[in-house]
Amino acid sequence: MHEMTHGVTLPKTPREFGFFINGAWRRGRELFERNSPSHDLPVTRTSRCTPEDVDDAVAAARLAFEDRRWAGLPGGARAGVLLRAAEGIRRRRDEIATWEVLENGKPIAQARGEIDHCIACFETAAGAARLLHGESFNNLGDNLFGMVLREPVGVVGLITPWNFPFLILCERVPFILASGCTLVVKPAEVTSATTLILADILTDAGLPAGVYNVVTGTGRSIGQALAEHRDVDMLSFTGSTAVGRSCVHASGDSNLKKLGLELGGKNPIIVFADANLEDAADGAAFGISFNTGQCCVSSSRLIVERTVADRFERILAEKMKKIRVGDPFDPQTQVGAITTAAQNETILGYIAKGKAEGARVLTGGDALECGKGRYIAPTLFSGVTPSMSIAREEIFGPVLSSFHFDTLDEAIALANDTVYGLAASVWSKNIDQALCVTRRVRAGRFWVNTIMAGGPETPTGGFKQSGWGRETGLLGVEEYTQAKSVHIETGDRSHWIAS
Ligand code: NAD
């Protein structure tokens, strides 16, 4: 019997995955082995693709786009495939959740919840596939009729990060498919399994060969090759702002491909004295600890009204101490392992810097010993000043910095004092105050008296250096289309050249 944890048998040998081009599996000559961040055991082996494999994948996607095997179908037929894929994900929910846990380290209960969101993404996109349409202009005079057609952009390259391997994938893929585009996906090297499993699910759902292709490998070689590729019409990149910037250069230096960028954040959570402080503290604890703070939308800057700041920080610290951190296969676990060794170092480095720069640790502040994995205690810093590195830089870990304010204007100025603009949350029972903050803080997603709520019906994306474009919702399909204006002469032509 192999090692068991909480009723789950850990893999005896790593599961091997090929990569997927034109409806067929291939195997790379070199393989990458991934260890579970919570159990320190090899769990998967994926191929290190070559730039030639990227060329093959793009060629397959190009052919599948040009011969109209997908874009040429009625929206209802594309919707049918997406709905069958949603069913396929539902059937394989436990399997997908297990591989997410093994590669990423997130708690199993959370992984299952994320997969339910993914199913909803496919269902939402299926509706959008049916309803996607352009505009008509019937007011150009009796001799002229105008139309605006929505056409798929073409071949899309999709690069995803390791923090939500399946969720971020599913917030993009069905919307890209709904638009009629074909695609080549490059998942993060350490979390490729579920992107590859989706290939089988889509095939079983009836997606034609060549429409969804997956290449695996490092960002530096395979991601870069996709970003630079001259036959990719659009690149959708989710990851760090630094690599997002390099994608902008790669596009500029190649074929000026369209870009969708979802990048980093340093998201504020603003708490007014009139808020329900117990609710707000629960929201703040969740906002920074969910997915070990490895979320682009983690609320990592607490901005709290001075009159209640001490009391609020005490309530919050008590709540953060109660968060159950540990083996992600324990169904009670709320916070799992840090996904990569490098990220673990980065987070611990920021905690050390915070202490050295004079901020006070109210709770956490250390690595936690639980089993063989990498764990960090949810950490709250008080006495943070705006120039400290923990105040300015995205940590991407469970580390919350607290700031105090006296006036509404000061709260808004603190919230906007960042190069990022991804998400924000405000807690107040005064509707005027909450709405004023919502209007004046620059962020692509806002939560009032809640945090990280909402489904695939609404768009996501960032202001400022958090990105370009939107994903999910109807805008998330339109993002992968381009508008074409068409004019039709309906009467006799008034001639330019005299007869
Ligand atoms: P990352 O930028 O290092 O990697 C993201 C992806 O890009 C990976 O697939 C990686 O292999 C690839 N990549 C790396 N170098 C590349 C290159 N030169 N060219 C092309 N591709 C390359 O980010 P990460 O460490 O995987 O994820 C963490 C970051 O992602 C954080 O900054 C976080 O805020 C951001 N993120 C943003 C969102 C969002 O929706 N805005 C969501 C999740 C994560």
Side-chain angles (χ1 to χ4, degrees):
M1 188 68 175
H2 203 65
E3 203 177 328
M4 283 205 42
T5 176
H6 298 278
V8 178
T9 309
L10 297 173
K12 224 181 266 167
T13 49
R15 177 169 168 183
E16 205 169 301
F17 288 90
F19 57 102
F20 192 72
I21 295 181
N22 204 23
W25 290 101
R26 297 189 188 179
R27 189 179 183 280
R29 243 182 285 150
E30 269 186 64
L31 297 180
F32 167 81
E33 192 167 87
R34 170 66 174 156
N35 271 22
S36 160
S38 344
H39 312 98
D40 198 25
L41 193 86
V43 287
T44 50
R45 278 196 198 123
T46 46
S47 299
R48 282 190 199 278
C49 289
T50 62
E52 292 70 42
D53 296 327
V54 177
D55 287 342
D56 283 0
V58 173
R62 172 59 58 196
L63 183 64
F65 181 69
E66 299 297 344
D67 72 11
R68 300 191 66 77
R69 70 184 80 162
W70 183 242
L73 296 180
R78 286 201 297 277
V81 171
L82 297 176
L83 290 173
R84 285 194 294 280
E87 273 313 305
I89 296 171
R90 197 172 270 126
R91 268 196 304 278
R92 295 177 71 169
R93 180 174 181 256
D94 279 342
E95 177 198 354
I96 298 168
T98 301
W99 291 104
E100 288 280 288
V101 173
L102 288 171
E103 287 197 331
N104 169 281
K106 65 179 65 213
I108 184 80
Q110 179 192 319
R112 291 194 181 115
E114 287 176 16
I115 293 165
D116 292 339
H117 173 83
C118 295
I119 293 167
C121 286
F122 272 81
E123 290 171 345
T124 305
R130 274 190 179 268
L131 289 171
L132 184 63
H133 65 280
E135 292 174 274
S136 62
F137 285 81
N138 197 25
N139 66 343
L140 305 180
D142 278 348
N143 285 354
L144 200 59
F145 182 71
M147 295 185 289
V148 181
L149 308 183
R150 281 275 165 197
E151 294 192 355
V153 163
V155 173
V156 176
L158 175 62
I159 298 180
T160 56
W162 45 257
N163 57 342
F164 290 99
F166 199 63
L167 183 138
I168 286 177
L169 182 76
C170 293
E171 285 186 340
R172 317 243 178 312
V173 169
F175 297 89
I176 294 171
L177 292 177
S179 74
C181 290
T182 62
L183 72 160
V184 177
V185 192
K186 206 290 295 170
E189 190 179 29
V190 292
T191 54
S192 300
T194 53
T195 302
L196 294 160
I197 290 173
L198 185 63
D200 272 339
I201 293 174
L202 289 169
T203 304
D204 291 348
L207 188 74
V211 177
Y212 177 86
N213 307 276
V214 186
V215 284
T216 50
T218 64
R220 199 158 298 186
S221 63
I222 301 309
Q224 186 74 27
L226 203 51
E228 286 173 351
H229 209 289
R230 290 181 177 272
D231 210 20
V232 169
D233 298 301
M234 174 170 173
L235 182 74
S236 169
F237 171 82
T238 303
S240 60
T241 295
V243 177
R245 206 181 294 279
S246 86
C247 291
V248 174
H249 292 304
S251 166
D253 292 343
S254 56
N255 60 340
L256 278 178
K257 57 179 67 60
K258 181 178 175 179
L259 291 172
L261 302 173
E262 295 245 346
L263 310 175
K266 189 74 183 173
N267 309 294
I269 171 167
I270 303 155
V271 179
F272 284 92
D274 70 354
N276 178 325
L277 295 188
E278 287 287 334
D279 283 1
D282 188 71
F286 175 68
I288 191 57
S289 309
F290 179 70
N291 210 47
T292 59
Q294 298 175 129
C295 303
C296 51
V297 294
S298 293
S299 46
S300 51
R301 291 183 302 138
L302 168 66
I303 299 174
V304 54
E305 192 160 351
R306 199 176 308 278
T307 51
V308 294
D310 287 348
R311 181 151 64 97
F312 185 75
E313 286 172 356
R314 262 198 315 277
I315 301 172
L316 175 57
E318 280 315 305
K319 288 192 190 292
M320 288 172 76
K321 283 191 180 94
K322 289 190 198 152
I323 294 171
R324 295 184 297 268
V325 184
D327 187 331
F329 278 118
D330 181 342
Q332 300 302 317
T333 291
Q334 292 173 295
V335 169
I338 304 299
T339 304
T340 67
Q343 190 57 27
N344 199 51
E345 289 298 299
T346 302
I347 300 168
L348 292 173
Y350 273 112
I351 293 177
K353 255 193 228 170
K355 292 175 181 169
E357 289 176 5
R360 253 179 326 121
V361 177
L362 296 188
T363 185
D366 285 306
L368 284 177
E369 292 294 323
C370 20
K372 292 184 189 157
R374 295 179 288 266
Y375 298 93
I376 294 179
T379 297
L380 174 60
F381 274 110
S382 185
V384 181
T385 58
S387 60
M388 291 182 187
S389 42
I390 57 168
R392 309 211 71 76
E393 293 164 29
E394 183 187 46
I395 299 174
F396 222 55
V399 182
L400 178 59
S401 300
S402 176
F403 306 81
H404 303 167
F405 70 88
D406 294 301
T407 65
L408 177 82
D409 282 344
E410 210 185 320
I412 291 167
L414 275 168
N416 280 331
D417 184 20
T418 169
V419 297
Y420 297 112
L422 198 57
S425 164
V426 59
W427 297 73
S428 167
K429 291 296 180 193
N430 176 340
I431 184 73
D432 297 357
Q433 194 162 252
L435 194 57
C436 176
V437 170
T438 306
R439 285 178 168 151
R440 285 174 52 194
V441 172
R442 301 189 62 209
R445 247 198 290 184
F446 230 103
W447 294 289
V448 180
N449 294 324
T450 184
I451 198 152
M452 293 195 202
E457 295 83 0
T458 47
T460 62
F463 283 34
K464 302 200 276 185
Q465 292 185 35
S466 289
W468 295 348
R470 292 294 178 268
E471 305 287 352
T472 65
L474 288 176
L475 280 181
V477 182
E478 285 182 2
E479 193 71 30
Y480 295 97
T481 67
Q482 47 199 344
K484 178 185 279 177
S485 299
V486 179
H487 288 94
I488 304 172
E489 175 91 43
T490 55
D492 292 335
R493 179 171 176 80
S494 136
H495 282 223
W496 185 53
I497 301 166
S499 51

